[in-house]
Amino acid sequence: MSDVLLVVVDAANVVGSVPDGWWRDRRGAAERLRDRLAADGVPRREGPAEIVLVVEGAARGVSSVPGVRVESAPGSGDDHMVELVAGAAGERPVLVVTADRELRRRVGELGAEVAGPRTVRP
């Protein structure tokens, strides 16, 4: 078992949590979130973390940077995040950042901790 925290970030949900014009440039908004995560990590969390930013739709194709792996969901972003959590369940601690109630329920059933978008937004 690894003690490195896996942080799975729901890009669409976190970006959409602040009405700052993100809808005009979804890809750019996801890149700004990625860059903030790379620079700041997950505030108020100690220890090493592997950050995975899951993008979908118009944000697909955003590239990874050192400190943040970006995964473009082939279909539903929620389903992809559940697959990531299921793959790590029982092997390491997992934190999923989203406000989506159904996604929170699904990953919670797999043992993940959940936190809202303010966890990674200023």
Side-chain angles (χ1 to χ4, degrees):
M1 181 168 183
S2 170
D3 59 350
V4 176
L5 176 67
L6 174 62
V7 181
V8 180
V9 180
D10 182 349
N13 190 270
V14 172
V15 165
S17 69
V18 176
D20 62 1
W22 59 265
W23 52 90
R24 290 188 291 271
D25 182 10
R26 293 170 195 258
R27 184 182 178 114
E31 289 170 340
R32 287 188 296 279
L33 174 59
R34 175 204 61 199
D35 294 347
R36 187 168 47 251
L37 289 166
D40 301 339
V42 181
R44 297 173 300 283
R45 290 284 172 158
E46 298 298 320
E50 175 187 359
I51 301 173
V52 179
L53 181 66
V54 176
V55 297
E56 60 187 333
R60 278 190 187 102
V62 169
S63 60
S64 297
V65 296
V68 179
R69 185 174 85 234
V70 180
E71 292 202 10
S72 295
S76 159
D78 289 4
D79 289 347
H80 190 69
M81 286 180 271
V82 169
E83 288 173 16
L84 288 171
V85 172
E91 298 296 318
R92 62 195 293 195
V94 180
L95 171 66
V96 176
V97 180
T98 186
D100 181 298
R101 285 187 181 136
E102 178 62 14
L103 178 57
R104 290 170 74 100
R105 182 193 65 75
R106 291 172 69 192
V107 298
E109 288 176 352
L110 295 170
E113 179 185 353
V114 293
R118 289 187 183 148
T119 304
V120 296
R121 296 248 8 186

